[in-house]
Amino acid sequence: MQNRVLALCLSSLFASQVLAADTEEILSTLQDQTQVAVTIYNEDLALIKDQRKTRLPAGNSVLTLRDVSAQLRPETALLRSLSTPNTLNVVEQNFDFDLLTPEKLLEKYVGKTVQLVRTNPATGVETSEQAQVLSANNGAVLKIGNRIETGIAGRIVYPDVPANLRDRPTLLTHLSNKLTGDQTVELSYLTGGLSWKADYVAELNAAEDKLDLSAWITLNNTSGATYRNAKLQLVAGDVHRAPQARPMLMKMARSEMAMDAAAPVSEESLLEYHLYSLDRPTTLAENQSKQVALLSASQVPVRKELLLKGADYYYGSSVDEIGQKLKV
């Protein structure tokens, strides 16, 4: 009886794998993106909400979401349908971040057959031979006929690109869908590779009683993806991460700052956080550092103080600096 149950389980597993392998992928790229929202926390953590429009058939299908972050945390990925809620279920998901390069392509073809094309330097005539890739460690090792060759002179021609080798970071979602038609889906996930900081510049007037203040937000994107016309929010405060990488809130010191009414970034309190929202969409390109105006204020009153502070031990022990002129 146990053997029969085991055989049935293995048969069902094999059948589901065959079904997944035979299901044609539905490709979704940035061209399908209708909206993207980026919320950047401190400590290399950001929340992405990526909305795309796609057409899905009823039943089982594989939706391939291309151009996601290369530092996506798969355990936080959540796909849902915004247009027809409760009709779409994610059965399985795979994050392919093994990107296509000449070295990776050669590694994937170890043990397989390729074509080696060589050009005669005297005549310019090309010849092609069938070769088996034996190794791809520190260079190609090929078996051509009855001989083994390294340091290959020529170019290797591959019949195809392996399915698990992608040109861009890709999330594959195996879906069970109840309805056929166009749907707007939203993929939300946490990622690394996005950070922000604030830089302030103050210019003091000649009378030293007023200053002009300006602040810039510096954004850095090394996540491996581009976020076009993104709705941008920035959260100031330290994020505490549970073992499952779920962001939780902790207390932080608050500071109040006066801003002009026409400031390009609005600020509000979010529990123990400060939330800054950019008033217009902006594009965060891959491998880009961007500066966005945070606030500006002119003619801010200031007061100058000259302070001379002595340490406690000056008065309790012999100190060489006693009697010297100390700078304020």
Side-chain angles (χ1 to χ4, degrees):
M1 182 64 181
Q2 291 178 347
N3 291 338
R4 290 181 180 177
V5 172
L6 178 59
L8 288 173
C9 291
L10 291 175
S11 176
S12 300
L13 178 61
F14 178 75
S16 63
Q17 290 176 342
V18 170
L19 179 62
D22 291 341
T23 304
E24 184 179 355
E25 292 184 5
I26 302 169
L27 181 62
S28 175
T29 66
L30 286 182
Q31 301 301 321
D32 304 319
Q33 191 177 78
T34 58
Q35 182 178 324
V36 61
V38 179
T39 303
I40 306 178
Y41 301 86
N42 290 337
E43 300 179 3
D44 190 34
L45 184 67
L47 172 65
I48 309 298
K49 290 190 175 182
D50 184 350
Q51 293 183 16
R52 303 188 185 191
K53 191 171 184 178
T54 185
R55 184 172 182 83
L56 297 175
N60 296 322
S61 60
V62 178
L63 177 61
T64 302
L65 296 158
R66 191 174 176 268
D67 300 299
V68 297
S69 169
Q71 300 188 40
L72 176 149
R73 299 182 180 179
E75 71 276 9
T76 67
L78 176 63
L79 181 70
R80 60 175 180 150
S81 174
L82 299 180
S83 53
T84 55
N86 303 320
T87 63
L88 189 66
N89 292 319
V90 179
V91 179
E92 178 183 320
Q93 63 185 25
N94 302 292
F95 180 42
D96 288 348
F97 53 89
D98 203 4
L99 301 185
L100 179 62
T101 63
E103 294 79 11
K104 288 290 185 181
L105 186 57
L106 184 63
E107 290 176 5
K108 297 296 183 182
Y109 267 86
V110 171
K112 299 180 182 179
T113 301
V114 296
Q115 293 292 322
L116 180 62
V117 179
R118 290 173 172 169
T119 303
N120 189 314
T123 63
V125 177
E126 288 188 348
T127 59
S128 177
E129 291 182 285
Q130 196 173 61
Q132 182 183 10
V133 182
L134 299 181
S135 176
N137 295 323
N138 298 321
V141 180
L142 302 182
K143 182 179 180 182
I144 306 171
N146 295 323
R147 66 186 190 275
I148 308 297
E149 290 195 19
T150 61
I152 309 302
R155 69 179 190 273
I156 300 175
V157 179
Y158 302 90
D160 200 359
V161 177
N164 60 345
L165 199 58
R166 307 282 176 172
D167 59 341
R168 299 287 297 170
T170 303
L171 182 69
L172 277 75
T173 55
H174 296 256
L175 307 177
S176 175
N177 186 31
K178 295 180 181 179
L179 299 175
T180 299
D182 295 334
Q183 290 197 38
T184 299
V185 296
E186 180 185 76
L187 174 66
S188 62
Y189 58 88
L190 291 175
T191 180
L194 287 163
S195 63
W196 75 279
K197 66 174 183 175
D199 297 293
Y200 303 90
V201 178
E203 183 178 3
L204 194 63
N205 65 359
E208 298 186 343
D209 60 354
K210 289 183 173 60
L211 60 78
D212 295 337
L213 181 67
S214 61
W216 289 88
I217 296 171
T218 299
L219 305 165
N220 288 297
N221 179 15
T222 58
S223 67
T226 294
Y227 310 94
R228 300 185 307 181
N229 299 320
K231 178 183 178 182
L232 180 64
Q233 292 184 312
L234 309 171
V235 178
D238 297 329
V239 175
H240 173 70
R241 306 181 199 178
Q244 294 80 16
R246 295 170 57 190
M248 299 179 66
L249 301 178
M250 62 184 303
K251 290 184 178 180
M252 60 166 289
R254 294 184 180 181
S255 61
E256 298 297 332
M257 182 173 297
M259 292 182 283
D260 287 348
V265 176
S266 62
E267 183 268 346
E268 60 182 297
S269 296
L270 175 64
L271 299 180
E272 287 77 27
Y273 280 74
H274 279 279
L275 177 67
Y276 298 91
S277 300
L278 192 64
D279 65 347
R280 58 179 179 81
T282 187
T283 295
L284 302 177
E286 182 180 353
N287 294 325
Q288 182 187 63
S289 179
K290 176 189 287 287
Q291 287 186 307
V292 177
L294 172 62
L295 61 89
S296 63
S298 59
Q299 299 297 303
V300 179
V302 295
R303 182 181 71 252
K304 181 170 69 175
E305 294 182 352
L306 301 179
L307 301 178
L308 178 62
K309 294 183 179 180
D312 294 340
Y313 63 81
Y314 282 2
Y315 311 102
S317 61
S318 175
V319 179
D320 293 339
E321 294 180 354
I322 293 296
Q324 296 181 7
K325 291 184 178 180
L326 303 180
K327 296 180 179 180
V328 294

